[in-house]
Amino acid sequence: MEVNERDPVTGRETTGHEWNGIKELDTPVPRGVLMFLIATHIWAIAWWFFVPAWPLGTTYTKGLLGVDQRTTVEERVVEGQQERSVWMTRLGSEPYDAILADEALMASVRGTGRQLFGDNCAACHGRDGRGRAGYPDLTDDDWLWGGGPELIEQTLRYGINTAHPDARIAQMPAFGRDGMLERDQVRSVAAYVYSLSNPDYSTEENLERIEAGREVFATTCAACHGENAEGNREVGAPNLTDTRWVYGGDLQTIIASVHGGRQGHMPTWDERMTDAEIRTLSLYVHDLGTGQP
């Protein structure tokens, strides 16, 4: 029987392996490590019997402890719904003024409303509600139909330009495409509208066209947007004197709007959401802005 060489320093046998003059000692695994490995293996085997672990065709071993994560999740969902039902009931019955004055209730509105908004509204208006071309910014104080929660609820519930009998109806006619205005009139009224939010455009060389556009506006556009062009929320006509635009406020985009018209669409949600969810979203959107009464 071959006896391995012993290390003169430690007295341990070597394994017989040597690399560049360095010999490997035959050092055993520490007893503490061995005990730990044995204990963990015993625990792992025992755990197979304590909890659901092994598939058995159409079923599985249930475990001696009776642990069922599906049941645990279902119980937690029920508990969450019960906790939620308290303030959701209040949202469905209390007036908006009372809800807005209750900061604790509004904290729940902000949390749940953020989730509802992300699931249903963010695709058009963005996660932050700031909108994009063709979709209004909900975080400012510029509203087509009004920014109070009651008015927002009406918009959410029935939609805009939908088949719902109570839907809000709004359309910008295609004045150029349908021949209601001549090409030069379209450009003139667009120049006038552009000058309302861009005073620097009212130069001497543009004054004649702007004045011609003012006359076209008075006879064609003022019925909806008002004589002062500040809009009319009764019909969803936007304010044309500020710098907030749904489709864009540059001159070419305004010309395109006058020529080809605009007709937005807001889905109706009264059959997709509960009353409490619609009211929650109404309060959340109202809260995104500066809070019009």
Side-chain angles (χ1 to χ4, degrees):
M1 178 178 179
E2 183 181 354
V3 178
N4 291 331
E5 179 184 357
R6 286 187 177 275
D7 177 52
V9 178
T10 63
R12 294 187 181 279
E13 290 187 354
T14 66
T15 62
H17 301 153
E18 182 178 343
W19 294 272
N20 297 328
I22 300 174
K23 296 179 180 180
E24 180 183 34
L25 297 180
D26 188 11
T27 305
V29 176
R31 182 172 297 179
V33 174
L34 284 175
M35 296 301 294
F36 175 78
L37 292 174
I38 292 171
T40 54
H41 280 76
I42 293 173
W43 174 254
I45 293 172
W47 197 245
W48 286 342
F49 295 96
F50 290 149
V51 298
W54 293 101
L56 300 173
T58 58
T59 183
Y60 54 90
T61 56
K62 305 299 182 181
L64 299 177
L65 297 180
V67 175
D68 188 340
Q69 291 182 336
R70 182 190 295 271
T71 302
T72 302
V73 170
E74 290 175 349
E75 291 174 352
R76 290 180 179 176
V77 169
V78 170
E79 291 174 1
Q81 289 175 339
Q82 290 175 345
E83 294 176 0
R84 221 177 132 194
S85 65
V86 176
W87 60 267
M88 288 294 279
T89 300
R90 292 182 59 190
L91 284 176
S93 59
E94 294 188 12
Y96 280 120
D97 289 344
I99 298 172
L100 289 169
D102 190 330
E103 188 55 37
L105 187 53
M106 282 302 297
S108 298
V109 166
R110 294 183 184 103
T112 302
R114 183 190 303 275
Q115 180 179 351
L116 288 171
F117 188 90
D119 292 342
N120 300 284
C121 314
C124 292
H125 294 283
R127 293 288 302 182
D128 56 2
R130 295 187 180 277
R132 54 192 174 90
Y135 301 95
D137 184 346
L138 304 177
T139 65
D140 57 21
D141 205 27
D142 191 50
W143 299 88
L144 295 178
W145 300 93
E150 295 89 351
L151 295 172
I152 296 174
E153 178 185 347
Q154 183 179 349
T155 302
L156 279 169
R157 190 176 295 278
Y158 306 126
I160 300 173
N161 294 326
T162 68
H164 197 288
D166 295 320
R168 298 185 185 278
I169 304 299
Q171 181 176 5
M172 167 77 175
F175 290 102
R177 186 189 65 201
D178 294 343
M180 290 180 279
L181 293 178
E182 296 178 0
R183 178 184 178 88
D184 193 59
Q185 289 178 309
V186 169
R187 299 186 66 85
S188 294
V189 74
Y192 169 69
V193 170
Y194 180 74
S195 71
L196 294 176
S197 55
N198 295 273
D200 294 342
Y201 183 71
S202 298
T203 61
E204 184 176 351
E205 61 180 329
N206 294 326
L207 282 180
E208 183 177 352
R209 180 174 290 279
I210 290 174
E211 286 302 317
R214 186 195 304 273
E215 295 179 5
V216 175
F217 186 91
T219 58
T220 307
C221 313
C224 291
H225 294 281
E227 294 181 2
N228 56 7
E230 293 182 355
N232 182 355
R233 291 176 179 174
E234 294 296 324
V235 295
N239 183 356
L240 303 177
T241 65
D242 57 21
T243 57
R244 296 164 180 165
W245 299 84
V246 176
Y247 297 98
D250 61 278
L251 182 57
Q252 291 304 314
T253 301
I254 295 173
I255 291 173
S257 296
V258 177
H259 173 80
R262 301 289 185 184
Q263 183 175 1
H265 177 78
M266 166 76 181
T268 174
W269 298 96
D270 67 332
E271 295 181 358
R272 308 186 199 186
M273 294 184 185
T274 65
D275 287 345
E277 288 175 333
I278 290 176
R279 286 172 63 85
T280 300
L281 257 181
S282 300
L283 286 160
Y284 178 76
V285 172
H286 171 76
D287 194 56
L288 284 178
T290 55
Q292 284 194 4

